[in-house]
Structures are given as structure tokens and as C-alpha cells.
Amino acid sequence: MEKRVQELHQLLHRYNYEYHVLDNPTVPDAEYDKLLHELIAIEEKHPELKTQDSPTVRVGAEPLSKFDKVNHDTPMLSLGNAFSEEDLIAFDTRVRNEVGNVEYMVELKIDGLAVSLKYVDGVFVQGLTRGDGTTGENITENLRTIYAIPLTIKEPLTFEVRGEAYMPKKSFIALNEQRAANGEQLAANPRNAAAGSLRQLDSRLAAKRKLDIFLYSVNDLREINASSQSEALDRLDAIGFKTNPERRLCKDMQEVFEYIKLWTEKRENLAYDIDGIVIKVNNLAKQDELGFTAKSPKWAIAYKFPA
Ligand code: IVH
């Protein structure tokens, strides 16, 4: 029986990863459901075989009465903002004055909610909101319902990975169609809808909202043997996380401006909302040299699209 449970975990984790992270399903949904129901039946008879990384936790757990407050191992900072090319040139000038020539990793700024995921020996054990940056709320049960968050990863690492949970436009439209049909108040935008879902004390309700996630940072890049942001993203991919494939390594501000222009024009075509572009000094040693202010890293900046 235990061996079959292990087999089912492996198969379901793999099918889930192929479907929700790689976006490349290899078996029909019915096959996944069949195996999942086999596992649910076993766990009902043998509750002692149910683990925190069982694929069955995706459906949610018993409602909580409140979320616990938990301190972040390292604070969750935010980014300084830029609203114009001049702001970005000022940023670039400061960076080059301090550390010389740099490359920038340029990413889309996902309009969702920052979350921090803790893995111990490769198993997802805790997920927090940003909160005030020092203390977040424990929303682990809700995050477990997001299929794109791996419950186990491909290496037995103990570390924290951070990213943005969001509601895809498609899920948002479906949610509001359903609310309209029920005569309920509509959600204002995907970001609010995602926030509402993650604040549900009943994770079985959160499970009904189709949220997604992109991971983009690690507390300490050395923990995953990365010496730059681009390597870190590639490593996160290899470990089993979903990162945003839309990203570009730029060798100067000219290339950064081209990338910003590209997405200013094309952002409507994306399956999710973005509210800007994030520009990060790629090299870790140079990031370290630049350091932080009290609130944000000096090696990165967020360009915000005009409202
Ligand atoms: S890096 C030190 N990369 O934008 C903070 N942030 O104020 C490092 N965001 O709180 C954040 N997409 O919630 C980073 N590709 C991305 C992002 C991103 C969205 C959010 C995040 C952060 C806020 C910046």
C-alpha cells in the first residue's frame, strides 16, 4: 500500500508539473483524475499515509479561524519606482558610477501579490504573504491549492523562494461571469480577486479560484549555486519552479528601452496583467557591492507603465 502511495505521488506530481509548470500535458485529464481518486480513497482508509506534500492537498483543507503571523527569515523588500526614461538613466548612471559596466536582467512586473515559499529538504512547508515586509501571514493552505507551486522539488533543498501569485485574465473573467450570474458583487480587477482568494480562511474556496504564480527570486542566490539573476532563474526552472519565460538579458539601457517599448505595446496580449518592467543588475557580486537602502535593493528598479 505504501509503495502504491509513493507511485501515485510520483505520477501525480509529474503530470501536474507537465501540465501547470511546463504547460505541456502528457496524459488526458481523465487519467490524472483517476489516479487522484485512487489516492483519495487510500488516504480515506489510511489517514496515516497522507503527507503534507500529497497531491490531494490541492483541493484545500479544513477552514482556519485566522491566519498566523510569521516573521520572514529575511525581510521582503520592495522596489524603487521609475516613471520615465530619465528616471531609468539616473538609476543606470548611479549603478555604473558605483560598480562600473553592468548587464541587466529585465523581467515583467507581474501585477499580483508577493509571496514567500519555504522548502525544507525539497518539500513545500510554509507560504507567507509579504505583510509589512517583516511579518507576513501564513497562507500555506491556500498556496498549496495553486497547481503551479510544486509541493516537492527536484533537489532536496532548504531555502526560501519568492514570487508573484496572480489570477490569469481568463480565471478573472470566468469568476466575474459566475458572480454576475449569481447577482454577486463583481471583483474590481485580477489583482483584487487574487488577494481575496489568498485571504480566504477556507482553502477549499481558494482552490476553486484558478490562481497561478511566477517565481523570481531567492533569499540568497548562493543557496542555489547561482552567481547572477539570469542563472538564478534558470536554476529555479531546473529545480521545478515556474518562472516567466518572457525575460531578457540587456547589455545597455538602449536594449532596456527597446524591451520596455515592446511590452508597452504588447502587454494586452499577455494572459495576465503586468504593471511595469523590473530591471535588475544581473551579476550577484555587483548586486552585493551595491547593497540595499532600508526599503529596497539599490541594484534593481521598477519601471511603472503610465496609468
Ligand atoms: S523583484 C526586493 N521581480 O513588484 C524586491 N518583483 O516593489 C525584489 N513584482 O514586491 C522584487 N514582478 O511583489 C521582482 N519580476 C519581478 C516582479 C516583482 C512583480 C512585485 C513584487 C515586489 C514589487 C516591487
Side-chain angles (χ1 to χ4, degrees):
M1 187 66 74
E2 277 175 70
K3 194 156 158 278
R4 181 62 182 155
V5 167
Q6 254 179 29
E7 260 169 31
L8 288 167
H9 278 207
Q10 269 173 17
L11 282 172
L12 288 163
H13 282 319
R14 195 181 94 212
Y15 296 154
N16 177 69
Y17 172 70
E18 290 167 344
Y19 186 114
H20 293 280
V21 179
L22 300 182
D23 210 2
N24 180 28
T26 59
V27 291
D29 290 3
E31 174 66 12
Y32 184 93
D33 291 342
K34 198 184 95 197
L35 297 174
L36 183 67
H37 283 104
E38 183 185 341
L39 183 57
I40 291 173
I42 296 177
E43 288 178 353
E44 270 167 11
K45 272 202 219 126
H46 306 277
E48 74 282 3
L49 296 181
K50 180 162 177 167
T51 56
Q52 64 175 340
D53 61 345
S54 167
T56 61
V57 303
R58 299 289 190 195
V59 298
E62 289 293 311
L64 304 170
S65 54
K66 64 172 181 50
F67 295 119
D68 290 332
K69 298 246 192 293
V70 181
N71 277 348
H72 294 294
D73 287 349
T74 46
M76 284 182 85
L77 304 175
S78 61
L79 295 174
N81 290 326
F83 298 96
S84 63
E85 288 200 355
E86 290 71 50
D87 290 350
L88 289 172
I89 287 171
F91 166 77
D92 178 56
T93 305
R94 242 182 300 121
V95 166
R96 281 167 198 272
N97 278 342
E98 277 203 45
V99 298
N101 204 27
V102 292
E103 288 186 317
Y104 291 111
M105 190 68 217
V106 185
E107 302 170 16
L108 304 187
K109 187 170 186 299
I110 311 301
D111 197 7
L113 291 112
V115 295
S116 189
L117 312 178
K118 184 184 273 188
Y119 286 77
V120 173
D121 298 331
V123 177
F124 175 53
V125 297
Q126 185 180 73
L128 306 178
T129 61
R130 178 172 185 280
D132 62 8
T134 305
T135 307
E137 285 184 321
N138 186 341
I139 55 163
T140 310
E141 298 302 344
N142 288 342
L143 290 171
R144 286 201 169 113
T145 70
I146 300 181
Y147 286 92
I149 294 182
L151 300 171
T152 59
I153 50 178
K154 296 178 184 179
E155 296 175 25
L157 294 167
T158 295
F159 76 138
E160 260 181 58
V161 54
R162 289 173 177 175
E164 199 85 353
Y166 65 92
M167 183 176 282
K169 289 176 186 170
K170 225 168 111 185
S171 313
F172 174 71
I173 291 166
L175 173 69
N176 267 353
E177 275 173 3
Q178 190 199 338
R179 289 203 173 165
N182 296 341
E184 291 164 359
Q185 201 183 352
L186 302 187
N189 55 49
R191 189 183 181 285
N192 282 354
S197 307
L198 290 178
R199 250 187 256 115
Q200 282 286 348
L201 289 165
D202 188 345
S203 51
R204 293 168 302 193
L205 295 178
K208 298 208 164 72
R209 312 286 181 75
K210 301 284 173 238
L211 300 187
D212 209 329
I213 193 164
F214 285 124
L215 285 313
Y216 50 62
S217 77
V218 180
N219 273 356
D220 182 352
L221 299 194
R222 289 166 191 86
E223 291 169 339
I224 54 168
N225 295 320
S227 61
S228 64
Q229 173 66 7
S230 55
E231 273 178 28
L233 293 172
D234 292 344
R235 280 281 293 142
L236 288 177
D237 282 336
I239 295 166
F241 291 102
K242 185 164 177 175
T243 66
N244 196 332
E246 304 297 349
R247 57 191 192 234
R248 184 177 292 174
L249 191 59
C250 293
K251 68 173 191 315
D252 56 31
M253 285 319 266
Q254 208 44 52
E255 289 188 6
V256 172
F257 294 146
E258 278 165 27
Y259 198 67
I260 289 178
K261 182 163 180 285
L262 175 78
W263 284 111
T264 305
E265 288 162 5
K266 284 207 323 182
R267 59 192 276 218
E268 296 307 322
N269 303 342
L270 289 166
Y272 46 85
D273 281 348
I274 60 173
D275 59 343
I277 301 286
V278 182
I279 297 118
K280 305 176 181 175
V281 169
N282 193 43
N283 183 280
L284 175 61
K286 297 206 172 186
Q287 288 183 5
D288 286 347
E289 233 181 290
L290 286 157
F292 297 84
T293 68
K295 283 197 316 202
S296 51
K298 292 193 204 164
W299 43 265
I301 195 161
Y303 170 79
K304 299 289 268 292
F305 293 129

